[in-house]
Amino acid sequence: MKKKKFWGITAGVLVVLLIAGGATAYHERHLIRRYLLVHQHYDKPDILSTNQIKLNIRPALSTKNTTATNQLTKTYQHDLQQVKVGPAQAKVVVNPYKTSPLSGLILVKTAQPTRVRLVVHGNRPATTIKQTLPGYRTQHSVGVLGLYAGRANRVTLRFTTKDGQVTRHTYRLTTTKAPKGIGTNTLKTSHPKQMALGQGHTKLTFAVSSQGYTYGLDARGKVRWYSTQKISHVFKELQNHHLLILTKISDSEHKYNALRETDFYGRVYRQYNMNGLFPTRQDPNKLSTNTVIHHDAIELPNHNLLLTVDDGSKKFVEDTMIELNYKTGKIVKVIDLKRILPKSAYTQYDGTHRPDGKIDWFHQNSIVYDQKRDELIVSGRNQDMIFAINYKTTKLKWILAAPEKLPKSYQKYLLQPTNKHFRYNGGQHAVQLIHQSQHQGDKIELEFYDNNVPVTRGKTAQSKQWSAGEIVTINQLKKTVTKTWEFGQRLGKRNFTNIVGSSYAVGKGNTLIGFGYADWGKRSEFVEVNRKTKQIVFDVDRTHFAHGDWSYRAQRMSLYPGNGNLTLKQINH
């Protein structure tokens, strides 16, 4: 008994020592990290070292939400096994993954292998969503997207056997009302036959939030999808047809520091959490939580993610990019724009001022990668500038901007306009490459949203009188730029937006323009226009939303990218 007591006491002491030692080591690591964040390492004045930037941001993979997704999937796998054969015996689930209230799941078995055709009945033919799922099987997990909010939705499944026998069954999926935060969406114009709605009308107009509710509208301006997860700026389709969104690590957090790979059902495949503990400008010895990723994120051909970030500087914001390894979440490349653009651009900037006193000299708001040339095209609002760099070397290729305040050594990069009375872009957003297959050699075509706000350069009598979607053709060899299309001037000052906005080609010769900050942030407007005829084929006004939740971009996206199948597979962490 004495021996047992001795070893029991010894084991207890060892556990206490290990816990104490571990706690002490953790505390020491925390203090060391805090010291390194406060006493930052610079390569040269104002320019942080690459290692310091990596330390400041410190992304980390999180499996918490993927585990929750897998647990729900396991439940539905079990439910499908329990379902009896026959369409009338199906199990119906609304909002199966808890963050997409206008989605559903129908678990059904058929006696013979069948192919399923899904119909979500709309108010009109143009708002009825149809999707054929691939393959023949006897056990079906049918994902349903595009339900209306606050009603009993009719969803019909058509089952077709290999020998052509058809049976149908209609289900009722009842949804809750959409949150008031989405605001009021008022339809002004709708010509569905002329809109780019995709096969089966699966494409919606997505209002991507600056910081709040992101949702999708059908051709009649009705909400057919939204996420309960607050989203900020980033809402992109990846090559694997999943979604990339920027959201919060937890609902109680104020900042948006979770970059999540998800889908329209809300399943979480991968998540990267950003640290974002940065020195303040007023007191560099004080650290505060910051949003790291601020405006854009794109997928590179190798599947790595390129992100526009705050790098943790005591002085500057929104002027750095990081390439994130898709599998590990590690930073593999850092691009600091202060190493590329003139020193005077950030040391002499006075165009805008922030409450925290930091200098937002560039305000990087969009990036697009040109795979043919291994070039990155970058937009910066506060320099009224679009430029291209070689991605490998980060060497400048060209600059689209008015020549004011650019040193002589940078004048050689400027594109020369071929149009008479060329109006330079001001405070622009959402740069995209278009018609890439049509342009070989040295020519590229860019579409972007021109806010027409001269922050640093390019002021004219027309400045701030309207905002517009624009297209330009650039000859990179001759260093020329030709404006070929714009739309917005005729809408006048009502649709002028000092900040945010987008202009995207969406098919059928149409462009979807998001006037996100109309009436100084009290209204967002989504306009689809035919570029050739200048006819507006779709127009919705959004009002009565919270301050700060204006629609950053308007995007046309399919609810069923890829084959649209919802397979009940476990996700590998």
Side-chain angles (χ1 to χ4, degrees), residues 277-521:
L277 195 64
F278 298 161
T280 64
R281 183 162 169 80
Q282 292 89 341
D283 181 0
N285 291 308
K286 183 181 178 182
L287 298 174
S288 65
T289 304
N290 281 58
T291 292
V292 174
I293 304 165
H294 51 80
H295 280 91
D296 207 1
I298 62 171
E299 182 181 12
L300 296 170
N302 62 2
H303 303 297
N304 284 356
L305 302 172
L306 186 64
L307 317 173
T308 59
V309 298
D310 270 5
D311 61 14
S313 167
K314 300 174 186 177
K315 193 172 181 180
F316 301 103
V317 296
E318 302 188 12
D319 60 3
T320 303
M321 289 171 278
I322 58 171
E323 181 183 337
L324 209 66
N325 182 285
Y326 172 76
K327 292 181 179 178
T328 66
K330 301 293 185 185
I331 297 172
V332 296
K333 188 181 181 75
V334 174
I335 302 174
D336 184 343
L337 297 183
K338 293 187 293 297
R339 297 177 183 266
I340 297 171
L341 295 177
K343 185 177 180 180
S344 58
Y346 58 88
T347 58
Q348 299 174 25
Y349 176 75
D350 61 0
T352 57
H353 301 278
R354 288 167 55 99
D356 64 4
K358 291 190 177 183
I359 301 169
D360 188 11
W361 67 278
F362 191 74
H363 195 90
Q364 186 175 2
N365 56 32
S366 71
I367 45 179
V368 59
Y369 178 72
D370 183 351
Q371 188 171 353
K372 285 184 182 178
R373 300 166 183 83
D374 188 30
E375 290 178 358
L376 187 70
I377 299 170
V378 179
S379 166
R381 175 189 187 269
N382 289 348
Q383 290 296 317
D384 311 289
M385 180 185 292
I386 301 168
F387 68 82
I389 58 171
N390 177 282
Y391 187 69
K392 185 177 181 180
T393 65
T394 71
K395 297 295 183 184
L396 262 173
K397 304 294 288 186
W398 51 261
I399 297 173
L400 173 56
E404 302 160 40
K405 298 184 181 179
L406 274 177
K408 273 190 177 181
S409 58
Y410 282 80
Q411 297 284 326
K412 62 185 178 184
Y413 298 111
L414 285 172
L415 299 175
Q416 301 303 314
T418 63
N419 310 79
K420 288 183 179 180
H421 312 297
F422 184 89
R423 184 179 55 80
Y424 282 99
N425 40 285
Q428 73 293 316
H429 285 76
V431 174
Q432 284 292 308
L433 283 162
I434 62 171
H435 302 150
Q436 288 179 272
S437 62
Q438 298 176 21
H439 296 284
Q440 303 300 323
D442 301 306
K443 286 187 178 180
I444 60 170
E445 199 169 358
L446 290 183
E447 182 170 16
F448 56 88
Y449 181 80
D450 183 6
N451 293 75
N452 194 15
V453 178
V455 184
T456 295
R457 51 179 59 83
K459 187 177 181 180
T460 71
Q462 301 175 68
S463 296
K464 298 188 178 183
Q465 299 305 303
W466 68 83
S467 298
E470 298 189 2
I471 295 176
V472 298
T473 299
I474 294 171
N475 187 312
Q476 297 185 98
L477 181 64
K478 295 181 179 179
K479 292 274 195 312
T480 60
V481 57
T482 305
K483 191 173 295 185
T484 59
W485 181 83
E486 69 175 311
F487 183 86
Q489 182 172 349
R490 85 180 198 202
L491 302 181
K493 209 155 189 174
R494 182 178 187 274
N495 280 46
F496 165 71
T497 63
N498 188 58
I499 59 172
V500 312
S502 59
S503 180
Y504 295 126
V506 292
K508 281 195 170 182
N510 296 349
T511 279
L512 177 65
I513 306 176
F515 298 93
Y517 194 77
D519 296 338
W520 296 95

Side-chain angles (χ1 to χ4, degrees), residues 106 108 116-118 142 155-159 167-169 171:
I106 301 175
V108 59
V116 174
R117 170 87 163 159
L118 164 74
V142 181
V155 176
T156 297
L157 299 187
R158 186 185 73 185
F159 302 91
T167 56
R168 292 177 176 84
H169 194 86
Y171 305 89

